[in-house]
């Protein structure tokens, strides 16, 4: 389970003041598209989860624009998914109906 920095730079100025008061920019901002740390996680998941005798999943809290991007980038069987060894499984909605969670599966070491 991961809650990486995922807020795109363009959205940082729109965050509520109570969020900015309790969290550092480093903990919130995920770069221009909010995917900087998520890309690093995807690249390292096969190394961090080497035991392929059990299903290996990573759940992440993400920006509501990210599940669609991840689904395209890491589509099962796609060239990118095979290269990184990680596939997008599904996006899930939060209690407000926004897609805020992504489930990924490690497919190789």
């Amino acid at each position: 389970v991961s809650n990486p920095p995922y807020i795109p730079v363009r959205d940082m100025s729109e965050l509520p003041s109570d969020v900015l008061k309790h969290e550092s920019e480093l903990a919130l901002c995920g770069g221009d598209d909010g995917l900087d740390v998520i890309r690093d996680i995807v690249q390292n998941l096969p190394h961090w989860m080497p035991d392929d005798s059990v299903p290996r999943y990573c759940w992440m809290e993400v920006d509501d624009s990210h599940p669609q991007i991840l689904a395209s980038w890491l589509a099962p069987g796609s060239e990118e998914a095979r290269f990184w060894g990680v596939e997008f499984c599904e996006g899930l909605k939060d209690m407000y109906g926004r897609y805020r969670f992504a489930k990924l599966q490690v497919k190789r070491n």
Side-chain angles (χ1 to χ4, degrees), residues 61-76:
E61 182 176 355
V62 296
D63 183 74
D64 58 7
S65 67
H66 292 164
Q68 184 176 5
I69 294 167
L70 292 168
S72 176
W73 177 39
L74 299 171

Side-chain angles (χ1 to χ4, degrees), residues 6 8 11 17 22-23 46 50 52 54 58 60 64 89 95 101 109:
Y6 61 80
D11 296 340
S17 61
H22 298 288
E23 297 285 349
D52 63 358
V54 296
C58 175
M60 283 191 278
D64 58 7
C89 296
M95 61 189 222
F101 303 97
N109 293 340

Side-chain angles (χ1 to χ4, degrees), residues 72-94:
S72 176
W73 177 39
L74 299 171
S78 70
E79 185 177 328
E80 289 286 323
R82 285 192 309 273
F83 179 80
W84 295 113
V86 177
E87 291 183 351
F88 178 83
C89 296
E90 63 182 314
L92 294 164
K93 294 179 182 179
D94 65 11

Side-chain angles (χ1 to χ4, degrees), residues 8-58:
V9 169
R10 69 179 178 280
D11 296 340
M12 287 296 293
S13 64
E14 299 173 20
L15 292 175
S17 61
D18 62 318
V19 171
L20 294 171
K21 191 178 350 179
H22 298 288
E23 297 285 349
S24 71
E25 183 174 333
L26 188 62
L28 297 168
C29 187
D32 288 339
D33 60 3
L35 290 165
D36 287 359
V37 176
I38 292 169
R39 283 187 198 91
D40 288 341
I41 291 170
V42 166
Q43 293 172 7
N44 285 289
L45 276 175
H47 307 290
W48 293 338
M49 302 172 81
D51 182 2
D52 63 358
S53 67
V54 296
R56 300 168 291 166
Y57 295 101
C58 175

